[in-house]
Amino acid sequence: MIRRALRVAATVVAAFAATTVLPRGAQGQVADSAIARLMEEHAVPGLALAIVTAETTVLAGFGSGDPARRRQVNPTTPFRLASTAKVLVAATVVSEAQAGRLDLHADLAGAVDVPFDGPFTGPVTLHDLLTHTAGFDERIIGYGARTSADMRPLGGYLAERMPARGWPVGSVVSYSNHGMSLAAYAAERAAGRPFAEVAETSLFGPLGMTDTRFLTAGEEIPSGAAVPLSCTESGCTELPHLYSNAYPAGLAFSTAADMSRFIEAILGGRDGTAGLEDLLPPRFTHDARIPGMSYGFFNQTHGGRRVLAHSGSVPGYWSLLLVVPEASMGFFFAANGGDEAFGGELRDLILAGTLGEPELPDPPHRRSEDPNSRAGAYELTRYSHDTIERLPQLFHNTIRVRARGDSLLVYAGRRAERYLQVDEGLYRAVGGERLIAFGSRNGQEYMFRASDVYGASLPAAYERHDTLTSPRFLNESVSWLLALPALVMFLAWPVMAGGGAFLRRRGGSEALPFSAVSLFVTLGTATAAALFAWFAMGFVARSSRLFESGEMFFGMPDSLTSMTWIPWVHAALSAALVLAVPSAWKRTWWGTARRVVYSLLAVAFVLQVSFLVTWNYLPMRW
């Protein structure tokens, strides 16, 4: 095993002229290096690597951490960990619990000055937070800061912006940056000093992780850190650093050397030093037949072995931490650019080189249910129930499941995975070992499926949607709500009005008497249709684009907040127009055709208001 680990690491080091703790005698094999090809294929500018086995630690740095300054990566080059930092939060909290300063199973009510809103009540514990089962919604707007100086104090930010509880505690995994930061804040409150200091004295100092730290308000990026890059064939562009108010969830920097010490501690230490083995046992699963959560770690399988992993991603940085407890090995790598696929491919290369790939026979296909009963749209339980983030999250987090013969096709993006049933409510990937399970919680149907990011697999829950709440139906219905009233008011209505006047003149009948109410209805319906179109295009569509670009990370732009009055005016007009429908028929303001059209427009306005209320635009919350 150790020889294989050394061979893999030697291949990595040979890929680029880089600083490493290994002898550098084989640097002429760049064209033949699998790692070199991977880095070139995925536009990875620089990488730091640590491989830890029971007896040996291999460290390597290669590529460029800062091409503009011609700085090569070495094992002590700091990289941003992004969400991999959550494992360090879990380790700090567990260390504080081992020291008797925290209780992982005590109710946090009263221990933190953070209100818990939402429809669900009951205790929330550190155990729930470290396994992402506390049930908190997602919240993105205002999560970040443009500079370190703009970051808010952790406690004050959480007290004001802690998301609501959208799921019952302990029911499903709802991955939460705020929840993990709340666990860090609980440690901060118990210790009476900032969490970054708690982590330093409780975890980093004892393990000798001298180059690892959480970045708090006002602090600068560590000297010599790899810069975040976006690289193409024409070159690399430096990206801005992103800062977050809930900093423990992802604003930490570390090195390959330091993370190797952390892995050693998790695996029990080599020289009798205290380890962090409490991070390893499974703590929650949706179904006993599929992997679940440990404290801070995702459980997954590779070649039949239980693997614990966590990855991290922010623009310009990627990282992956992975341990295989039964093999007493683990590794960490971080990149300052590239794409998501690189993480999984490098993970597989390292695992194949160190552990090999055992043959896993496919279990027999056991069809006992109609696959069509599982088909539908499923949404990841990482969204906000009561803010305007709900709608864009629906389109971003939903995957489709289709039945084809005896199999299920799961579409994650454009790629389809094929599964066959192997047990009651359990399906296995054809030609692989991935499993998906189906079950229910509190009357809601779920699909439990791994959600992959850069080589780590979150044991996620996906809520099943009915047809009326599926993204496809919603997209069609909103399009019709937007288009039909506008077409009727600005095309059909004038045609009908002109046609009616023409027919009256031809027939010698008198024109209908002028009515101020009739004029109001005509102008009101046109205004309501125009307002909804303006809001749909100017706010809903634009805010969705800003979510995709990350701009909403820093808060609501003034250009959007200036439009928050539109839903109220639209709702008031719609109410008046709906109330006027009986009068239109009773007093025969127009001919029958126009009254029918007006009634249908009133129904459309009711549906428009319903849309605004359902998706949290009326009243508007963010």
Side-chain angles (χ1 to χ4, degrees):
M1 180 188 301
I2 296 173
R3 285 196 299 271
R4 284 197 295 267
L6 290 173
R7 282 201 304 272
V8 171
T11 302
V12 172
V13 176
F16 286 84
T19 303
T20 174
V21 299
L22 295 178
R24 293 167 53 193
Q27 296 177 3
Q29 305 298 320
V30 174
D32 298 327
S33 167
I35 297 299
R37 288 196 299 271
L38 275 182
M39 293 183 70
E40 182 178 3
E41 178 183 348
H42 298 284
V44 177
L47 206 73
L49 171 70
I51 301 176
V52 176
T53 65
E55 299 176 359
T56 304
T57 294
V58 173
L59 302 174
F62 44 93
S64 177
D66 188 349
R69 297 172 180 80
R70 298 184 178 181
R71 285 206 309 256
Q72 291 183 324
V73 174
N74 63 61
T76 60
T77 300
F79 281 78
R80 182 167 175 175
L81 299 179
S83 286
T84 302
K86 292 180 175 67
V87 180
L88 300 184
V89 173
T92 300
V93 171
V94 167
S95 295
E96 290 291 282
Q98 290 172 341
R101 292 184 285 270
L102 288 172
D103 183 345
L104 297 179
H105 299 281
D107 185 3
L108 288 176
V112 293
D113 51 349
V114 175
F116 298 156
D117 298 324
F120 298 103
T121 59
V124 173
T125 69
L126 289 169
H127 167 88
D128 303 320
L129 297 175
L130 298 184
T131 55
H132 294 285
T133 56
F136 287 109
D137 280 0
E138 175 68 294
R139 174 166 273 173
I140 297 172
I141 299 175
Y143 179 81
R146 297 187 185 277
T147 69
S148 173
D150 293 331
M151 290 169 56
R152 300 176 57 186
L154 180 60
Y157 170 77
L158 291 176
E160 181 179 331
R161 299 293 294 169
M162 192 70 197
R165 298 167 65 176
W167 295 271
V169 172
S171 61
V172 295
V173 169
S174 53
Y175 185 87
S176 175
N177 289 325
H178 290 85
M180 192 62 70
S181 293
L182 180 63
Y185 184 56
E188 176 176 304
R189 289 272 293 182
R193 51 203 173 95
F195 172 74
E197 295 182 12
V198 178
E200 169 64 32
T201 57
S202 181
L203 184 68
F204 304 152
L207 296 184
M209 299 172 67
T210 57
D211 294 316
T212 303
R213 64 187 176 94
F214 286 93
L215 196 70
T216 57
E219 293 188 309
E220 299 297 327
I221 301 297
S223 176
V227 299
L229 298 171
S230 175
C231 297
T232 63
E233 293 180 357
S234 59
C236 295
T237 302
E238 185 171 346
L239 301 176
H241 287 281
L242 295 182
Y243 301 86
S244 51
N245 292 305
Y247 74 86
L251 190 49
F253 283 80
S254 189
T255 67
D258 274 11
M259 293 304 291
S260 71
R261 299 182 181 96
F262 182 67
I263 294 171
E264 291 171 5
I266 290 174
L267 296 175
R270 290 211 183 105
D271 53 4
T273 57
L276 291 168
E277 298 91 337
D278 281 354
L279 294 179
L280 300 180
R283 303 292 181 177
F284 175 85
T285 184
H286 295 115
D287 187 304
R289 301 168 296 181
I290 61 175
M293 284 292 306
S294 296
Y295 286 151
F297 271 116
F298 310 152
N299 290 195
Q300 53 199 72
T301 59
H302 190 91
R305 298 181 178 89
R306 177 171 168 262
V307 171
L308 283 74
H310 207 302
S311 59
S313 169
V314 295
Y317 289 111
W318 298 93
S319 66
L320 177 66
L321 171 64
L322 185 147
V323 295
V324 188
E326 71 176 65
S328 297
M329 71 84 62
F331 59 83
F332 165 84
F333 58 80
N336 60 331
D339 60 35
E340 181 178 345
F342 177 79
E345 293 187 30
L346 182 55
R347 172 205 63 194
D348 292 346
L349 183 65
I350 295 173
L351 286 173
T354 55
L355 303 178
E357 286 287 7
E359 292 288 334
L360 292 177
D362 286 337
H365 173 38
R366 294 175 51 193
R367 176 170 178 172
S368 61
E369 61 186 35
D370 181 1
N372 285 284
S373 67
R374 303 300 188 184
Y378 292 81
E379 183 182 9
L380 179 68
T381 53
R382 191 183 181 189
Y383 64 81
S384 173
H385 285 82
D386 61 359
T387 75
I388 63 170
E389 302 177 39
R390 181 72 188 92
L391 185 62
Q393 287 166 345
L394 174 69
F395 286 91
H396 182 71
N397 293 336
T398 300
I399 62 177
R400 291 177 296 121
V401 177
R402 291 179 174 175
R404 180 178 296 173
D406 283 355
S407 62
L408 284 179
L409 297 180
V410 178
Y411 291 85
R414 296 181 179 178
R415 180 172 55 93
E417 300 171 345
R418 182 167 171 252
Y419 290 82
L420 289 173
Q421 186 182 3
V422 294
D423 203 349
E424 292 297 323
L426 186 70
Y427 290 72
R428 182 184 172 107
V430 174
E433 59 182 321
R434 293 170 63 92
L435 296 168
I436 56 175
F438 294 89
S440 62
R441 301 287 189 278
N442 303 304
Q444 172 69 53
E445 292 185 57
Y446 287 91
M447 175 176 64
F448 304 117
R449 169 189 177 270
S451 178
D452 297 335
V453 178
Y454 205 67
S457 300
L458 171 70
Y462 289 79
E463 292 179 346
R464 186 173 186 174
H465 284 281
D466 57 32
T467 301
L468 297 180
T469 57
S470 66
R472 178 167 297 182
F473 177 85
L474 182 63
N475 188 60
E476 292 294 328
S477 62
V478 172
S479 298
W480 284 109
L481 283 178
L482 178 64
L484 278 181
L487 289 174
V488 169
M489 285 310 306
F490 300 112
L491 292 178
W493 192 271
V495 170
M496 285 189 295
F502 175 75
L503 292 174
R504 284 192 297 273
R505 286 197 300 271
R506 287 288 300 269
S509 60
E510 297 182 0
L512 293 175
F514 172 80
S515 168
V517 175
S518 175
L519 179 62
F520 163 76
V521 169
T522 302
L523 295 177
T525 50
T527 302
L531 284 174
F532 187 79
W534 182 19
F535 188 76
M537 302 305 295
F539 190 101
V540 177
R542 184 163 178 264
S543 64
S544 297
R545 291 194 297 271
L546 292 178
F547 274 112
E548 290 292 329
S549 69
E551 185 66 23
M552 299 292 273
F553 186 73
F554 304 110
M556 279 279 286
D558 292 340
S559 59
L560 292 184
T561 55
S562 65
M563 300 179 69
T564 56
W565 59 271
I566 297 177
W568 292 105
V569 175
H570 176 275
L573 264 179
S574 297
L577 293 168
V578 169
L579 292 174
V581 169
S583 295
W585 285 91
K586 182 177 181 180
R587 300 180 182 181
T588 61
W589 290 339
W590 315 286
T592 301
R594 289 179 69 188
R595 278 177 277 156
V596 169
V597 169
Y598 172 49
S599 301
L600 294 176
L601 281 172
V603 172
F605 293 142
V606 169
L607 294 176
Q608 288 178 352
V609 173
S610 176
F611 167 82
L612 296 173
V613 171
T614 299
W615 300 102
N616 306 313
Y617 297 109
L618 182 69
M620 191 171 293
R621 298 180 290 268
W622 66 83

